[in-house]
Amino acid sequence: MFFVVTGGSGSGKSAFAESLVERLGGSLRIYLATMMCFDEEGKKRIERHRRMRKDKGFATREQYVSIGDAPIPEGAVVLLECMSNLVANEMFDENGSKEDCVAAVTEGISQILQKAGHLIVVTNEIFSDGVLYDQETVRYQQFLGEINRRMSAMADGVFEVVYGIPLCLKGQHLP
């Protein structure tokens, strides 16, 4: 099964995504980490997520670009966190796909789905703040929005987490 989990910053989407992994079962759990750490705030965020995953049986794989190249064992339950970081990496990192970001990420998701037993992708809802941004940020939003739409079309279930409450946008039930 393939699930997309979205929500605003601090909404509880990571905790919900981890609960999906636990519901799906399986002894082989891969946490596909996409966040590059640049500062103290990043270090704190990474450490908080590590504490959340502690004792949940995850093997962490860091994959900042080219997610289709990630070593995913056949049948694994994969939690990719998070798409927003991956898109920024693909756009701006020297090894990223740049203007081909949407196609590269979509193909990477397809490649993971061919190997994994289940995939849960966490992404951010960054589109409703009403702020006008510079051209580069608008392009990032466009790429992330298109990838989120494509993933949602492919997914068995799509959830938006608001104040810790998961709202089902697609799919009938939780595993």
Side-chain angles (χ1 to χ4, degrees), residues 129-143:
D129 61 8
V131 176
L132 296 176
Y133 291 103
D134 62 81
Q135 190 63 23
E136 201 67 6
T137 303
V138 168
R139 190 169 68 99
Y140 167 77
Q141 288 177 312
Q142 290 169 340
F143 284 178

Side-chain angles (χ1 to χ4, degrees), residues 109-130:
I109 293 291
S110 294
Q111 290 171 344
I112 291 173
L113 286 169
Q114 290 173 11
K115 298 180 250 182
H118 303 288
L119 173 62
I120 297 96
V121 176
V122 175
T123 189
N124 284 301
E125 198 297 303
I126 61 164
F127 308 99
S128 58
D129 61 8

Side-chain angles (χ1 to χ4, degrees), residues 31 52 68-69 71 76 84 96 105 122 152 162:
Y31 183 88
M52 286 174 59
D69 295 341
S84 306
V105 170
V122 175
S152 294
V162 180

Side-chain angles (χ1 to χ4, degrees), residues 129-170:
D129 61 8
V131 176
L132 296 176
Y133 291 103
D134 62 81
Q135 190 63 23
E136 201 67 6
T137 303
V138 168
R139 190 169 68 99
Y140 167 77
Q141 288 177 312
Q142 290 169 340
F143 284 178
L144 180 60
E146 180 61 26
I147 290 166
N148 286 348
R149 284 189 293 277
R150 290 183 184 194
M151 285 194 307
S152 294
M154 296 166 58
D156 298 295
V158 178
F159 298 90
E160 180 178 13
V161 180
V162 180
Y163 305 124
I165 302 167
L167 306 172
C168 181
L169 305 176
K170 179 181 178 183

Side-chain angles (χ1 to χ4, degrees), residues 1-71:
M1 297 191 86
F2 176 29
F3 296 99
V4 175
V5 177
T6 189
S9 177
S11 65
K13 61 188 173 290
S14 296
F16 176 69
E18 289 176 17
S19 78
L20 281 177
V21 170
E22 291 177 322
R23 290 177 192 191
L24 290 166
S27 58
L28 188 53
R29 297 175 178 172
I30 305 296
Y31 183 88
L32 202 53
T34 63
M35 182 178 169
M36 292 182 181
C37 185
F38 297 107
D39 57 16
E40 278 304 310
E41 182 181 337
K43 287 179 187 176
K44 289 177 184 176
R45 177 172 279 181
I46 288 169
E47 185 54 39
R48 181 174 59 85
H49 281 265
R50 285 182 179 153
R51 282 193 310 272
M52 286 174 59
R53 292 192 312 274
K54 188 179 178 201
D55 301 325
K56 293 183 180 176
F58 282 99
T60 299
R61 302 252 185 347
E62 295 176 359
Q63 190 77 28
Y64 305 124
V65 295
S66 305
I67 57 169
D69 295 341

Side-chain angles (χ1 to χ4, degrees), residues 91-106:
M91 287 178 68
F92 302 114
D93 187 78
E94 64 185 35
N95 298 313
S97 57
K98 311 288 188 238
E99 290 301 317
D100 295 326
C101 175
V102 173
V105 170
T106 303

